[in-house]
Coordinates of all heavy atoms in Angstrom, one line a residue:
M27 N -11.2 -26.8 -14.7 CA -11.3 -25.4 -14.0 C -9.9 -25.0 -13.6 O -9.1 -25.7 -13.2 CB -12.2 -25.5 -12.8 CG -12.5 -24.2 -12.2 SD -13.9 -24.4 -11.0 CE -13.7 -22.8 -10.2
Y28 N -9.7 -23.7 -13.8 CA -8.4 -23.1 -13.5 C -8.0 -23.0 -12.1 O -6.9 -23.0 -11.7 CB -8.3 -21.8 -14.2 CG -9.0 -20.6 -13.5 CD1 -8.3 -19.8 -12.7 CD2 -10.3 -20.5 -13.7 CE1 -8.9 -18.7 -12.1 CE2 -11.0 -19.4 -13.0 CZ -10.3 -18.6 -12.2 OH -10.9 -17.6 -11.6
L29 N -9.0 -22.9 -11.2 CA -8.8 -22.7 -9.8 C -9.4 -23.8 -9.0 O -10.5 -23.8 -8.6 CB -9.3 -21.3 -9.4 CG -8.8 -20.7 -8.1 CD1 -7.3 -20.5 -8.2 CD2 -9.4 -19.4 -7.9
T30 N -8.6 -24.9 -8.7 CA -9.1 -26.0 -8.0 C -8.9 -25.8 -6.5 O -8.3 -24.9 -6.1 CB -8.3 -27.3 -8.4 OG1 -7.0 -27.1 -8.1 CG2 -8.5 -27.6 -9.9
A31 N -9.5 -26.7 -5.7 CA -9.4 -26.6 -4.3 C -7.9 -26.7 -3.8 O -7.5 -26.1 -2.9 CB -10.2 -27.7 -3.6
E32 N -7.2 -27.6 -4.5 CA -5.7 -27.8 -4.2 C -5.0 -26.5 -4.5 O -4.1 -26.1 -3.7 CB -5.2 -28.9 -5.0 CG -5.7 -30.3 -4.6 CD -5.3 -31.4 -5.5 OE1 -4.4 -31.1 -6.4 OE2 -5.7 -32.5 -5.4
T33 N -5.3 -25.8 -5.6 CA -4.6 -24.6 -5.9 C -4.9 -23.5 -4.9 O -4.0 -22.8 -4.5 CB -5.1 -24.1 -7.3 OG1 -4.9 -25.1 -8.3 CG2 -4.3 -22.9 -7.8
K34 N -6.1 -23.4 -4.4 CA -6.5 -22.5 -3.4 C -5.7 -22.8 -2.1 O -5.2 -21.8 -1.4 CB -8.0 -22.5 -3.1 CG -8.8 -21.8 -4.2 CD -10.3 -21.9 -3.8 CE -11.2 -21.3 -4.9 NZ -12.6 -21.4 -4.5
K35 N -5.7 -24.0 -1.7 CA -4.9 -24.4 -0.5 C -3.5 -24.0 -0.6 O -2.9 -23.5 0.4 CB -5.1 -25.9 -0.2 CG -6.4 -26.3 0.3 CD -6.5 -27.8 0.5 CE -7.8 -28.2 1.0 NZ -7.9 -29.7 1.3
K36 N -2.9 -24.2 -1.8 CA -1.5 -23.9 -2.0 C -1.3 -22.4 -1.9 O -0.3 -22.0 -1.2 CB -1.0 -24.4 -3.4 CG 0.4 -24.3 -3.6 CD 0.8 -24.9 -5.0 CE 1.3 -23.8 -5.8 NZ 1.7 -24.3 -7.2
I37 N -2.2 -21.6 -2.4 CA -2.1 -20.1 -2.4 C -2.2 -19.7 -0.9 O -1.4 -18.9 -0.5 CB -3.1 -19.5 -3.2 CG1 -2.8 -19.7 -4.7 CG2 -3.2 -18.0 -2.9 CD1 -3.9 -19.2 -5.7
F38 N -3.2 -20.2 -0.2 CA -3.3 -19.8 1.2 C -2.2 -20.2 2.1 O -1.8 -19.6 3.0 CB -4.7 -20.2 1.7 CG -5.8 -19.4 1.3 CD1 -6.8 -19.9 0.4 CD2 -5.9 -18.0 1.6 CE1 -7.9 -19.1 0.0 CE2 -7.0 -17.2 1.1 CZ -7.9 -17.8 0.3
K39 N -1.6 -21.4 1.8 CA -0.5 -21.9 2.6 C 0.7 -21.0 2.3 O 1.4 -20.7 3.3 CB -0.2 -23.3 2.2 CG 0.9 -23.9 3.1 CD 1.1 -25.4 2.8 CE 2.0 -26.0 3.7 NZ 2.2 -27.5 3.5
E40 N 0.9 -20.6 1.1 CA 2.1 -19.8 0.7 C 2.0 -18.3 1.3 O 2.9 -17.8 1.8 CB 2.3 -19.7 -0.8 CG 3.5 -19.0 -1.2 CD 3.7 -19.0 -2.7 OE1 3.0 -19.8 -3.4 OE2 4.5 -18.2 -3.2
Y41 N 0.8 -17.7 1.1 CA 0.6 -16.3 1.5 C -0.1 -16.1 2.8 O 0.2 -15.1 3.5 CB -0.1 -15.6 0.4 CG 0.6 -15.5 -0.9 CD1 0.3 -16.4 -1.9 CD2 1.6 -14.6 -1.1 CE1 1.0 -16.4 -3.1 CE2 2.3 -14.5 -2.3 CZ 2.0 -15.4 -3.3 OH 2.7 -15.4 -4.5
G42 N -1.0 -17.0 3.2 CA -1.7 -16.8 4.4 C -1.2 -17.5 5.7 O -1.6 -17.2 6.8
G43 N -0.2 -18.3 5.5 CA 0.4 -19.0 6.7 C 0.0 -20.5 6.8 O 0.8 -21.3 7.0
S44 N -1.3 -20.8 6.6 CA -1.7 -22.2 6.6 C -2.9 -22.3 5.6 O -3.5 -21.4 5.2 CB -2.2 -22.5 8.0 OG -3.4 -21.9 8.3
E45 N -3.2 -23.6 5.3 CA -4.2 -23.9 4.3 C -5.6 -23.4 4.8 O -6.5 -23.1 4.0 CB -4.3 -25.4 4.0 CG -3.0 -25.9 3.4 CD -3.1 -27.4 3.2 OE1 -4.0 -28.1 3.7 OE2 -2.2 -27.9 2.5
S46 N -5.8 -23.5 6.1 CA -7.1 -23.2 6.7 C -7.3 -21.7 7.0 O -8.4 -21.3 7.3 CB -7.4 -24.0 7.9 OG -6.4 -23.7 8.9
N47 N -6.3 -20.9 6.8 CA -6.3 -19.5 7.1 C -6.8 -18.7 5.9 O -6.1 -17.9 5.3 CB -5.0 -18.9 7.6 CG -5.0 -17.6 8.1 OD1 -6.1 -17.0 8.3 ND2 -3.9 -17.0 8.4
T48 N -8.1 -18.9 5.5 CA -8.6 -18.3 4.3 C -9.0 -16.9 4.5 O -9.4 -16.2 3.5 CB -9.8 -19.1 3.8 OG1 -10.8 -19.2 4.8 CG2 -9.4 -20.5 3.4
G49 N -9.0 -16.4 5.7 CA -9.4 -15.0 6.0 C -8.3 -14.0 6.0 O -8.5 -12.8 6.1
S50 N -7.1 -14.5 5.8 CA -5.9 -13.6 5.9 C -6.0 -12.6 4.7 O -6.3 -13.0 3.6 CB -4.6 -14.4 5.9 OG -4.4 -14.9 4.7
T51 N -5.6 -11.4 5.0 CA -5.6 -10.4 3.9 C -4.7 -10.8 2.8 O -5.0 -10.6 1.6 CB -5.3 -9.0 4.5 OG1 -6.1 -8.8 5.6 CG2 -5.5 -7.9 3.5
E52 N -3.5 -11.2 3.2 CA -2.5 -11.5 2.2 C -2.9 -12.7 1.3 O -2.8 -12.6 0.0 CB -1.2 -11.9 2.8 CG -0.5 -10.8 3.6 CD -0.9 -10.8 5.1 OE1 -1.9 -11.4 5.4 OE2 -0.2 -10.2 5.9
G53 N -3.6 -13.7 1.8 CA -4.1 -14.8 1.1 C -5.2 -14.4 0.1 O -5.2 -14.9 -1.0
Q54 N -6.1 -13.6 0.6 CA -7.2 -13.1 -0.3 C -6.6 -12.3 -1.4 O -7.1 -12.4 -2.6 CB -8.2 -12.3 0.6 CG -9.0 -13.1 1.5 CD -10.0 -12.3 2.3 OE1 -10.3 -11.2 1.9 NE2 -10.5 -12.9 3.4
I55 N -5.7 -11.4 -1.2 CA -5.1 -10.6 -2.2 C -4.4 -11.5 -3.3 O -4.5 -11.3 -4.5 CB -4.1 -9.6 -1.6 CG1 -4.9 -8.5 -0.8 CG2 -3.3 -8.9 -2.7 CD1 -4.0 -7.6 0.0
A56 N -3.7 -12.5 -2.8 CA -3.0 -13.4 -3.7 C -4.0 -14.2 -4.6 O -3.8 -14.4 -5.8 CB -2.2 -14.4 -2.9
L57 N -5.1 -14.6 -4.0 CA -6.2 -15.3 -4.7 C -6.8 -14.4 -5.8 O -7.0 -14.8 -6.9 CB -7.3 -15.8 -3.7 CG -8.3 -16.7 -4.3 CD1 -7.7 -18.0 -4.9 CD2 -9.3 -17.1 -3.3
F58 N -7.1 -13.1 -5.4 CA -7.7 -12.2 -6.3 C -6.7 -11.9 -7.5 O -7.1 -11.8 -8.6 CB -8.0 -10.9 -5.6 CG -9.4 -10.8 -5.0 CD1 -9.5 -10.4 -3.7 CD2 -10.5 -11.2 -5.7 CE1 -10.7 -10.4 -3.1 CE2 -11.7 -11.2 -5.0 CZ -11.9 -10.8 -3.7
T59 N -5.4 -11.9 -7.2 CA -4.4 -11.6 -8.2 C -4.4 -12.8 -9.2 O -4.3 -12.5 -10.4 CB -3.0 -11.4 -7.6 OG1 -3.1 -10.3 -6.7 CG2 -2.0 -11.1 -8.6
K60 N -4.5 -14.0 -8.7 CA -4.5 -15.2 -9.6 C -5.7 -15.1 -10.5 O -5.6 -15.3 -11.7 CB -4.5 -16.4 -8.8 CG -4.5 -17.7 -9.6 CD -3.4 -18.6 -9.2 CE -3.6 -19.9 -10.0 NZ -2.6 -20.0 -11.1
R61 N -6.9 -14.8 -9.9 CA -8.1 -14.7 -10.7 C -8.0 -13.6 -11.7 O -8.5 -13.7 -12.9 CB -9.3 -14.5 -9.8 CG -9.7 -15.7 -9.0 CD -10.9 -15.4 -8.1 NE -11.3 -16.7 -7.4 CZ -12.2 -16.7 -6.5 NH1 -12.7 -15.5 -6.0 NH2 -12.5 -17.8 -5.9
I62 N -7.5 -12.4 -11.3 CA -7.4 -11.3 -12.2 C -6.5 -11.6 -13.4 O -6.8 -11.3 -14.5 CB -6.9 -10.0 -11.4 CG1 -8.0 -9.5 -10.5 CG2 -6.4 -8.9 -12.3 CD1 -7.6 -8.5 -9.5
N63 N -5.4 -12.3 -13.1 CA -4.5 -12.6 -14.2 C -5.2 -13.6 -15.2 O -5.0 -13.4 -16.4 CB -3.2 -13.3 -13.7 CG -2.3 -12.3 -12.9 OD1 -2.5 -11.0 -13.1 ND2 -1.5 -12.7 -12.1
Y64 N -5.9 -14.5 -14.7 CA -6.6 -15.5 -15.5 C -7.7 -14.8 -16.4 O -7.8 -15.0 -17.6 CB -7.3 -16.6 -14.7 CG -8.1 -17.5 -15.5 CD1 -7.5 -18.5 -16.3 CD2 -9.5 -17.4 -15.6 CE1 -8.2 -19.4 -17.0 CE2 -10.2 -18.3 -16.4 CZ -9.6 -19.3 -17.1 OH -10.3 -20.1 -17.9
L65 N -8.5 -13.9 -15.8 CA -9.5 -13.2 -16.5 C -8.9 -12.2 -17.5 O -9.5 -12.0 -18.6 CB -10.4 -12.4 -15.5 CG -11.3 -13.3 -14.7 CD1 -12.2 -12.5 -13.8 CD2 -12.2 -14.2 -15.5
T66 N -7.8 -11.6 -17.2 CA -7.2 -10.7 -18.2 C -6.8 -11.5 -19.4 O -7.0 -11.0 -20.6 CB -5.9 -10.0 -17.5 OG1 -6.3 -9.4 -16.4 CG2 -5.3 -9.1 -18.5
K67 N -6.2 -12.7 -19.2 CA -5.8 -13.5 -20.4 C -7.0 -13.9 -21.2 O -7.0 -13.9 -22.4 CB -5.1 -14.7 -19.9 CG -4.6 -15.6 -21.0 CD -3.8 -16.8 -20.4 CE -3.5 -17.8 -21.5 NZ -3.0 -19.1 -20.9
H68 N -8.1 -14.3 -20.5 CA -9.4 -14.7 -21.1 C -9.9 -13.5 -22.0 O -10.4 -13.7 -23.1 CB -10.4 -15.1 -20.1 CG -11.8 -15.3 -20.6 ND1 -12.1 -16.4 -21.3 CD2 -12.9 -14.5 -20.6 CE1 -13.4 -16.3 -21.7 NE2 -13.9 -15.2 -21.2
L69 N -9.9 -12.3 -21.4 CA -10.4 -11.1 -22.1 C -9.6 -10.7 -23.3 O -10.1 -10.1 -24.3 CB -10.6 -10.0 -21.2 CG -11.9 -10.1 -20.3 CD1 -11.9 -8.9 -19.3 CD2 -13.1 -10.0 -21.1
Q70 N -8.3 -11.1 -23.3 CA -7.5 -10.8 -24.5 C -7.9 -11.6 -25.7 O -7.8 -11.2 -26.8 CB -6.0 -11.0 -24.2 CG -5.5 -9.9 -23.3 CD -4.1 -10.2 -22.8 OE1 -3.5 -11.3 -23.0 NE2 -3.4 -9.2 -22.2
E71 N -8.4 -12.8 -25.4 CA -8.9 -13.7 -26.4 C -10.3 -13.5 -26.8 O -10.8 -13.7 -27.9 CB -8.7 -15.2 -26.0 CG -7.2 -15.5 -25.8 CD -7.1 -16.9 -25.0 OE1 -8.1 -17.5 -24.8 OE2 -5.9 -17.2 -24.7
N72 N -11.2 -13.1 -25.8 CA -12.6 -12.9 -26.0 C -12.9 -11.4 -25.7 O -13.4 -11.1 -24.6 CB -13.4 -13.8 -25.1 CG -13.0 -15.3 -25.3 OD1 -13.2 -15.8 -26.4 ND2 -12.4 -15.9 -24.3
K73 N -12.7 -10.6 -26.7 CA -12.9 -9.1 -26.4 C -14.3 -8.7 -26.2 O -14.5 -7.7 -25.5 CB -12.3 -8.4 -27.6 CG -10.8 -8.6 -27.8 CD -10.3 -7.8 -28.9 CE -8.9 -8.1 -29.2 NZ -7.9 -8.1 -28.2
K74 N -15.3 -9.4 -26.6 CA -16.7 -9.0 -26.5 C -17.4 -9.6 -25.3 O -18.6 -9.5 -25.1 CB -17.5 -9.3 -27.7 CG -17.0 -8.6 -28.9 CD -17.8 -8.8 -30.1 CE -17.3 -7.9 -31.3 NZ -18.2 -8.0 -32.5
D75 N -16.7 -10.3 -24.4 CA -17.3 -10.9 -23.2 C -17.4 -9.8 -22.1 O -16.6 -9.6 -21.2 CB -16.4 -12.0 -22.7 CG -17.0 -12.9 -21.6 OD1 -18.1 -12.5 -21.2 OD2 -16.4 -13.9 -21.3
M76 N -18.6 -9.2 -22.1 CA -18.8 -8.0 -21.2 C -19.1 -8.5 -19.8 O -18.7 -7.8 -18.8 CB -19.9 -7.1 -21.7 CG -19.7 -6.5 -23.0 SD -18.2 -5.5 -23.0 CE -17.8 -5.4 -24.6
G77 N -19.6 -9.6 -19.6 CA -19.9 -10.1 -18.2 C -18.6 -10.4 -17.5 O -18.4 -10.0 -16.3
T78 N -17.6 -11.0 -18.2 CA -16.3 -11.2 -17.6 C -15.6 -9.9 -17.3 O -14.9 -9.8 -16.4 CB -15.5 -12.2 -18.5 OG1 -16.2 -13.4 -18.7 CG2 -14.1 -12.4 -17.9
Q79 N -15.8 -9.0 -18.3 CA -15.1 -7.7 -18.1 C -15.6 -7.0 -16.8 O -14.8 -6.4 -16.1 CB -15.4 -6.8 -19.3 CG -14.6 -5.5 -19.3 CD -14.8 -4.7 -20.6 OE1 -15.6 -5.2 -21.5 NE2 -14.1 -3.6 -20.7
R80 N -16.9 -7.1 -16.6 CA -17.5 -6.4 -15.4 C -17.0 -7.1 -14.1 O -16.7 -6.5 -13.1 CB -19.0 -6.5 -15.5 CG -19.7 -5.9 -14.3 CD -21.1 -5.6 -14.5 NE -21.6 -4.8 -13.4 CZ -22.5 -5.2 -12.5 NH1 -22.9 -6.4 -12.6 NH2 -22.9 -4.4 -11.6
A81 N -16.9 -8.5 -14.2 CA -16.4 -9.2 -13.0 C -15.0 -8.9 -12.7 O -14.6 -8.7 -11.6 CB -16.6 -10.7 -13.3
L82 N -14.2 -8.7 -13.8 CA -12.8 -8.3 -13.6 C -12.7 -6.9 -12.9 O -11.9 -6.8 -12.0 CB -12.1 -8.3 -15.0 CG -10.6 -7.8 -15.0 CD1 -9.8 -8.8 -14.2 CD2 -10.1 -7.7 -16.4
V83 N -13.5 -6.0 -13.4 CA -13.4 -4.6 -12.8 C -13.8 -4.7 -11.3 O -13.2 -4.1 -10.4 CB -14.3 -3.7 -13.5 CG1 -14.5 -2.4 -12.8 CG2 -13.8 -3.4 -14.9
N84 N -14.8 -5.5 -11.0 CA -15.2 -5.6 -9.6 C -14.1 -6.3 -8.7 O -13.8 -5.9 -7.6 CB -16.5 -6.5 -9.5 CG -17.7 -5.7 -9.9 OD1 -17.8 -4.5 -9.8 ND2 -18.7 -6.4 -10.3
M85 N -13.5 -7.3 -9.3 CA -12.4 -8.0 -8.6 C -11.2 -7.1 -8.4 O -10.6 -7.1 -7.3 CB -11.9 -9.2 -9.4 CG -11.8 -10.4 -8.6 SD -11.4 -11.8 -9.7 CE -13.1 -12.3 -10.2
V86 N -10.9 -6.2 -9.3 CA -9.8 -5.3 -9.2 C -10.1 -4.3 -8.1 O -9.2 -3.9 -7.2 CB -9.4 -4.6 -10.5 CG1 -8.5 -3.4 -10.3 CG2 -8.9 -5.5 -11.5
G87 N -11.4 -3.9 -8.0 CA -11.8 -3.0 -6.9 C -11.7 -3.6 -5.5 O -11.2 -2.9 -4.6
K88 N -12.1 -4.9 -5.4 CA -12.0 -5.5 -4.1 C -10.5 -5.7 -3.7 O -10.2 -5.5 -2.6 CB -12.7 -6.9 -4.2 CG -14.2 -6.9 -4.3 CD -14.7 -8.2 -4.3 CE -16.3 -8.2 -4.5 NZ -16.8 -9.5 -4.5
R89 N -9.7 -6.1 -4.7 CA -8.3 -6.2 -4.4 C -7.7 -4.9 -3.9 O -6.9 -4.8 -3.0 CB -7.5 -6.8 -5.6 CG -6.0 -7.0 -5.3 CD -5.3 -7.6 -6.4 NE -5.1 -6.6 -7.4 CZ -4.3 -6.7 -8.5 NH1 -3.8 -7.9 -8.8 NH2 -4.2 -5.8 -9.4
K90 N -8.1 -3.8 -4.6 CA -7.6 -2.5 -4.2 C -7.9 -2.1 -2.8 O -7.1 -1.6 -2.1 CB -8.1 -1.5 -5.2 CG -7.6 -0.1 -5.0 CD -8.2 0.9 -6.0 CE -7.7 2.3 -5.7 NZ -8.2 3.3 -6.6
S91 N -9.2 -2.4 -2.4 CA -9.6 -2.2 -1.1 C -8.8 -3.0 0.0 O -8.4 -2.4 1.0 CB -11.1 -2.5 -0.9 OG -11.9 -1.8 -1.8
L92 N -8.6 -4.2 -0.4 CA -7.8 -5.1 0.6 C -6.3 -4.6 0.6 O -5.7 -4.6 1.7 CB -7.8 -6.5 0.1 CG -9.1 -7.3 0.4 CD1 -9.0 -8.6 -0.3 CD2 -9.3 -7.5 1.8
L93 N -5.8 -4.1 -0.5 CA -4.4 -3.6 -0.5 C -4.4 -2.3 0.4 O -3.4 -2.1 1.1 CB -3.9 -3.3 -1.9 CG -3.5 -4.5 -2.7 CD1 -3.3 -4.2 -4.1 CD2 -2.2 -5.1 -2.1
E94 N -5.4 -1.4 0.3 CA -5.4 -0.2 1.1 C -5.5 -0.5 2.6 O -4.8 0.1 3.4 CB -6.6 0.6 0.7 CG -6.4 1.4 -0.6 CD -5.3 2.4 -0.5 OE1 -5.2 3.1 0.5 OE2 -4.5 2.5 -1.5
Y95 N -6.3 -1.5 2.9 CA -6.4 -2.0 4.3 C -5.1 -2.5 4.8 O -4.6 -2.1 5.9 CB -7.5 -3.1 4.4 CG -7.4 -3.7 5.8 CD1 -8.0 -3.1 6.9 CD2 -6.9 -5.0 6.0 CE1 -8.0 -3.7 8.2 CE2 -6.8 -5.6 7.2 CZ -7.4 -4.9 8.3 OH -7.3 -5.5 9.5
L96 N -4.4 -3.3 4.0 CA -3.1 -3.8 4.4 C -2.1 -2.7 4.5 O -1.3 -2.7 5.5 CB -2.6 -4.9 3.4 CG -1.4 -5.7 3.8 CD1 -1.7 -6.5 5.1 CD2 -1.0 -6.7 2.7
K97 N -2.1 -1.8 3.6 CA -1.2 -0.7 3.7 C -1.4 0.2 4.9 O -0.4 0.6 5.6 CB -1.3 0.2 2.5 CG -0.3 1.4 2.4 CD -0.4 2.1 1.0 CE -1.3 3.2 1.1 NZ -1.3 4.0 -0.1
N98 N -2.6 0.4 5.3 CA -2.9 1.2 6.5 C -2.6 0.5 7.8 O -2.3 1.1 8.9 CB -4.3 1.7 6.5 CG -4.6 2.7 5.4 OD1 -3.7 3.4 5.0 ND2 -5.9 2.7 5.0
T99 N -2.6 -0.9 7.8 CA -2.4 -1.6 9.1 C -1.0 -2.1 9.2 O -0.4 -2.0 10.3 CB -3.4 -2.8 9.2 OG1 -3.3 -3.6 8.0 CG2 -4.8 -2.3 9.3
E100 N -0.5 -2.7 8.2 CA 0.9 -3.3 8.2 C 1.7 -3.0 7.0 O 1.6 -3.8 6.0 CB 0.8 -4.8 8.5 CG 0.0 -5.2 9.7 CD -0.2 -6.7 9.9 OE1 0.8 -7.4 9.7 OE2 -1.3 -7.1 10.1
I101 N 2.4 -1.9 7.0 CA 3.0 -1.4 5.8 C 4.1 -2.3 5.3 O 4.4 -2.5 4.1 CB 3.6 0.0 6.0 CG1 4.0 0.7 4.7 CG2 4.7 0.0 7.0 CD1 2.9 1.1 3.8
E102 N 4.9 -3.0 6.2 CA 5.9 -3.9 5.8 C 5.4 -5.1 5.0 O 6.0 -5.6 4.0 CB 6.8 -4.3 7.0 CG 7.6 -3.2 7.6 CD 8.5 -2.5 6.6 OE1 9.1 -3.2 5.8 OE2 8.6 -1.2 6.7
K103 N 4.3 -5.7 5.6 CA 3.7 -6.8 4.9 C 3.1 -6.4 3.5 O 3.2 -7.2 2.5 CB 2.6 -7.4 5.7 CG 3.0 -8.2 6.9 CD 1.8 -8.9 7.6 CE 2.3 -9.7 8.7 NZ 1.1 -10.3 9.4
Y104 N 2.7 -5.2 3.4 CA 2.1 -4.7 2.2 C 3.2 -4.6 1.1 O 3.1 -5.0 0.0 CB 1.5 -3.3 2.5 CG 1.2 -2.4 1.2 CD1 0.0 -2.7 0.5 CD2 2.0 -1.4 0.8 CE1 -0.3 -1.9 -0.6 CE2 1.7 -0.6 -0.3 CZ 0.6 -0.9 -1.0 OH 0.3 -0.1 -2.1
R105 N 4.4 -4.0 1.5 CA 5.5 -3.9 0.6 C 6.0 -5.2 0.1 O 6.4 -5.4 -1.0 CB 6.6 -3.0 1.2 CG 6.2 -1.6 1.4 CD 7.3 -0.8 2.0 NE 6.9 0.6 2.1 CZ 7.3 1.4 3.1 NH1 8.1 1.0 4.0 NH2 6.8 2.7 3.2
A106 N 6.1 -6.2 1.1 CA 6.6 -7.5 0.7 C 5.7 -8.2 -0.2 O 6.1 -8.9 -1.1 CB 6.8 -8.3 2.0
L107 N 4.4 -8.1 0.0 CA 3.4 -8.7 -0.8 C 3.4 -8.1 -2.2 O 3.3 -8.9 -3.2 CB 2.0 -8.6 -0.2 CG 0.9 -9.4 -0.9 CD1 1.2 -10.9 -0.7 CD2 -0.5 -9.0 -0.2
L108 N 3.6 -6.8 -2.4 CA 3.6 -6.2 -3.7 C 4.8 -6.8 -4.5 O 4.7 -7.1 -5.7 CB 3.7 -4.7 -3.6 CG 2.5 -3.9 -3.2 CD1 2.8 -2.4 -3.2 CD2 1.3 -4.3 -4.0
K109 N 5.9 -6.9 -3.8 CA 7.1 -7.5 -4.5 C 6.9 -8.9 -4.9 O 7.3 -9.4 -6.0 CB 8.4 -7.3 -3.6 CG 9.0 -6.0 -3.6 CD 10.3 -6.0 -2.8 CE 10.8 -4.6 -2.8 NZ 12.1 -4.6 -2.0
K110 N 6.3 -9.7 -4.0 CA 6.2 -11.1 -4.2 C 5.2 -11.4 -5.3 O 5.4 -12.3 -6.1 CB 5.7 -11.8 -2.9 CG 5.9 -13.2 -2.8 CD 5.6 -13.7 -1.4 CE 5.9 -15.2 -1.3 NZ 5.7 -15.7 0.0
L111 N 4.1 -10.6 -5.4 CA 3.0 -10.8 -6.4 C 3.3 -10.1 -7.7 O 2.6 -10.2 -8.7 CB 1.7 -10.4 -5.8 CG 1.1 -11.3 -4.8 CD1 -0.2 -10.7 -4.2 CD2 0.8 -12.7 -5.3
D112 N 4.3 -9.2 -7.6 CA 4.7 -8.4 -8.8 C 3.5 -7.5 -9.2 O 3.1 -7.5 -10.4 CB 5.2 -9.2 -9.9 CG 5.9 -8.4 -11.0 OD1 6.5 -7.4 -10.6 OD2 5.9 -8.8 -12.2
I113 N 3.0 -6.8 -8.3 CA 1.9 -5.8 -8.5 C 2.4 -4.4 -8.6 O 3.2 -4.0 -7.7 CB 0.8 -5.9 -7.4 CG1 0.2 -7.3 -7.3 CG2 -0.3 -4.9 -7.7 CD1 -0.7 -7.5 -6.2
R114 N 2.1 -3.7 -9.6 CA 2.5 -2.3 -9.7 C 1.6 -1.4 -8.8 O 0.4 -1.5 -9.0 CB 2.4 -1.8 -11.1 CG 3.3 -2.5 -12.1 CD 3.1 -1.9 -13.5 NE 1.7 -2.0 -13.8 CZ 1.2 -1.5 -14.9 NH1 2.0 -0.9 -15.8 NH2 0.0 -1.6 -15.2
R115 N 2.2 -0.6 -8.0 CA 1.4 0.4 -7.2 C 2.2 1.5 -6.9 O 3.3 1.5 -6.6 CB 0.9 -0.2 -6.0 CG -0.5 -0.7 -6.2 CD -1.5 -0.9 -5.2 NE -1.9 0.1 -4.3 CZ -3.1 0.5 -4.2 NH1 -4.1 0.1 -5.0 NH2 -3.4 1.4 -3.4

């Protein structure tokens, strides 16, 4: 599996502050970004996988909502996260 428990802990430690801080907005956005990148690569190889395509669209929408929330509450963290994750916005 591409996203193991250790990988999640590493992501939340890097972006959320600690391994157990799974509710942080930055950590959740980083996790969604990792999943989105994986699914994008998968869909380039499997063009007719409509279930995965739908899941990808939903995930992008959730990440967008979290990014909007972060932008409205803490603009500096938002800008730093966009640079760190290399997200175009």
Side-chain angles (χ1 to χ4, degrees):
M27 186 169 169
Y28 75 100
L29 201 58
T30 61
E32 293 174 3
T33 308
K34 286 182 184 179
K35 285 181 181 180
K36 188 174 117 181
I37 289 171
F38 283 114
K39 186 173 184 179
E40 183 178 348
Y41 294 98
S44 71
E45 294 177 355
S46 61
N47 190 7
T48 58
S50 71
T51 308
E52 296 92 342
Q54 289 181 16
I55 292 170
L57 188 63
F58 276 130
T59 302
K60 178 126 176 105
R61 288 179 175 170
I62 286 168
N63 291 338
Y64 176 78
L65 290 180
T66 302
K67 183 180 172 189
H68 170 79
L69 282 173
Q70 288 173 351
E71 298 168 2
N72 305 294
K73 296 183 187 309
K74 295 186 177 184
D75 190 354
M76 297 301 159
T78 302
Q79 187 175 2
R80 181 164 190 251
L82 176 64
V83 170
N84 285 336
M85 225 173 278
V86 169
K88 287 180 183 179
R89 183 180 73 176
K90 183 179 178 183
S91 299
L92 286 170
L93 283 169
E94 283 296 319
Y95 169 76
L96 189 61
K97 184 170 93 173
N98 291 334
T99 56
E100 302 176 49
I101 191 75
E102 294 303 320
K103 285 185 179 181
Y104 169 78
R105 290 179 181 149
L107 188 65
L108 288 184
K109 281 186 181 178
K110 199 170 185 181
L111 291 175
D112 195 30
I113 299 174
R114 298 179 305 175
R115 266 207 52 125

